[in-house]
């Protein structure tokens, strides 16, 4: 029988390694031509995560647990390295040492995702299959902020003449800011707020909003790919944000399933 830690590790690496590789690409595209060293560093990370993806293909759900744990450690080091690189870029940007087309919030955003990935690998090597029940709220705080950021990025990267889509992006930004503040309030009430009815309503409300944002991203991706709207959004970036919304929905489903199992 397949070890659930093995299966979950491979799933996390498959999803997040691709995300990290794309982050490196997006950063490289946002630098100016004279920032060659930073571009080269970003491209090196593309190679690092491509090699990880290649190595991942040699594993399966029946692979040896210790070998997978060793692989987790290797990938953890890559995730920590790209996190460090992203924070360096953020530091250079905020101190105006460099001027790039990468928003500071975007650089911070992608560094938060690298830290999340590294932390998940560490948890898996410690035997934590999914975030504990008492981390349901904190996990949602993380992802709600990611979704709110996405809405802001979309709104800023669309051409200003795409007024209707810009307005929709702003509405999603406001919606997710409100959900995030609500989650932070619930988090500050822990552990008393960790009742099944409250968590169930919390997850259900988030699920509805994330599904709506996911559908908006899907439409935007299709319009961008077909060159039917004006924007500075790379088609891969549109798909990237869509996949992250899908991932959040999967995590909400996982939490709901665990909540229902513990109640029965």
């Amino acid at each position: 029988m397949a070890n659930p830690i093995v299966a979950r590790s491979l799933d996390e690496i498959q999803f997040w390694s691709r995300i990290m590789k794309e982050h490196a690409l997006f950063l490289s595209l946002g630098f100016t031509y004279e920032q060659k060293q930073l571009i080269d560093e970003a491209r090196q990370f593309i190679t690092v995560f491509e090699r990880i993806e290649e190595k991942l293909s040699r594993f399966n759900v029946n692979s040896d647990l210790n070998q997978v744990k060793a692989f987790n450690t290797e990938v953890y080091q890559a995730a920590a390295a790209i996190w460090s690189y992203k924070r360096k870029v953020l530091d250079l940007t905020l101190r105006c040492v460099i001027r790039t087309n990468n928003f500071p919030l975007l650089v911070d955003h992608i560094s938060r995702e690298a830290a999340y990935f590294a932390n998940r690998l560490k948890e898996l090597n410690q035997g934590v299959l999914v975030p504990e029940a008492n981390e349901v709220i904190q996990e949602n705080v993380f992802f709600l902020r990611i979704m709110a950021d996405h809405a802001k990025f979309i709104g800023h990267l669309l051409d200003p003449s795409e007024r209707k889509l810009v307005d929709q992006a702003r509405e999603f930004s406001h919606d997710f800011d409100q959900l995030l503040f609500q989650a932070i309030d619930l988090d500050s009430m822990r552990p008393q707020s960790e009742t099944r009815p409250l968590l169930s309503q919390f997850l259900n409300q988030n699920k509805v909003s994330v599904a709506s944002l996911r559908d908006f991203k899907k439409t935007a991706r299709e319009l961008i790919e077909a060159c039917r709207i004006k924007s500075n959004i790379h088609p891969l970036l549109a798909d990237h944000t869509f996949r992250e919304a899908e991932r959040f929905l999967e995590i909400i489903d996982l939490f709901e399933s665990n909540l229902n199992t513990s109640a029965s």
Side-chain angles (χ1 to χ4, degrees):
M1 187 175 174
N3 187 305
I5 293 290
V6 168
R8 192 70 202 169
S9 295
L10 300 182
D11 178 74
E12 294 282 3
I13 292 170
Q14 181 180 35
F15 180 81
W16 287 108
S17 287
R18 182 180 177 186
I19 294 293
M20 294 300 113
K21 180 179 69 174
E22 291 170 355
H23 285 170
L25 172 65
F26 300 145
L27 282 173
S28 72
L29 294 174
F31 292 124
T32 55
Y33 73 94
E34 73 268 18
Q35 292 154 357
K36 188 175 183 306
Q37 184 180 338
L38 290 170
I39 293 170
D40 288 345
E41 285 183 74
R43 287 176 177 165
Q44 284 169 14
F45 279 112
I46 294 173
T47 302
V48 165
F49 285 99
E50 280 177 345
R51 286 176 182 158
I52 285 169
E53 288 177 321
E54 184 185 339
K55 193 167 183 179
L56 175 67
S57 66
R58 302 174 203 163
F59 291 92
N60 60 58
V61 291
N62 297 309
S63 293
D64 178 73
L65 175 61
N66 290 328
Q67 288 182 352
V68 171
K69 282 188 171 183
F71 185 39
N72 282 351
T73 300
E74 180 186 333
V75 180
Y76 170 88
Q77 289 166 349
I82 198 170
W83 173 85
S84 180
Y85 168 70
K86 290 167 177 174
R87 298 310 287 185
K88 178 180 77 173
V89 171
L90 180 62
D91 177 61
L92 292 170
T93 304
L94 292 178
R95 290 191 294 111
C96 298
V97 176
I98 60 171
R99 309 275 183 174
T100 79
N101 293 315
N102 297 310
F103 296 131
L105 182 62
L106 183 139
V107 182
D108 175 62
H109 171 102
I110 63 177
S111 73
R112 277 182 263 130
E113 293 186 347
Y116 174 89
F117 181 28
N119 187 55
R120 281 299 295 128
L121 293 169
K122 187 189 287 187
E123 286 178 338
L124 285 161
N125 272 9
Q126 293 168 348
V128 179
L129 186 59
V130 292
E132 300 291 340
N134 62 1
E135 294 176 350
V136 170
I137 299 169
Q138 291 171 314
E139 186 89 355
N140 276 264
V141 166
F142 171 81
F143 273 102
L144 287 169
R145 188 177 178 193
I146 294 296
M147 296 299 114
D149 287 350
H150 284 172
K152 291 172 178 63
F153 299 147
I154 292 168
H156 281 79
L157 291 170
L158 285 164
D159 188 83
S161 68
E162 295 287 357
R163 289 173 172 80
K164 190 167 180 59
L165 285 173
V166 170
D167 283 346
Q168 282 182 272
R170 284 176 181 156
E171 286 171 14
F172 276 115
S173 172
H174 176 73
D175 185 26
F176 278 91
D177 280 345
Q178 294 307 307
L179 289 172
L180 174 60
F181 295 145
Q182 195 167 302
I184 291 170
D185 288 341
L186 205 60
D187 189 41
S188 71
M189 296 178 194
R190 293 174 50 236
Q192 288 77 15
S193 60
E194 291 166 347
T195 69
R196 187 178 177 279
L198 282 176
L199 290 178
S200 178
Q201 169 63 11
F202 174 64
L203 290 172
N204 184 258
Q205 189 173 348
N206 291 346
K207 187 175 184 176
V208 170
S209 290
V210 177
S212 181
L213 179 60
R214 183 268 319 271
D215 293 344
F216 172 72
K217 289 174 174 178
K218 183 173 183 285
T219 300
R221 181 189 66 182
E222 291 167 355
L223 292 172
I224 289 163
E225 287 175 348
C227 199
R228 292 175 62 192
I229 58 171
K230 304 174 292 297
S231 80
N232 283 344
I233 301 173
H234 193 292
L236 184 60
L237 178 59
D239 185 59
H240 178 100
T241 62
F242 168 76
R243 277 181 272 121
E244 288 189 0
E246 287 271 82
R247 186 72 172 186
F248 188 15
L249 286 171
E250 289 171 13
I251 290 169
I252 291 174
D253 285 342
L254 197 62
F255 280 139
E256 284 185 329
S257 176
N258 289 351
L259 209 59
N260 292 334
T261 301
S262 63
S264 58

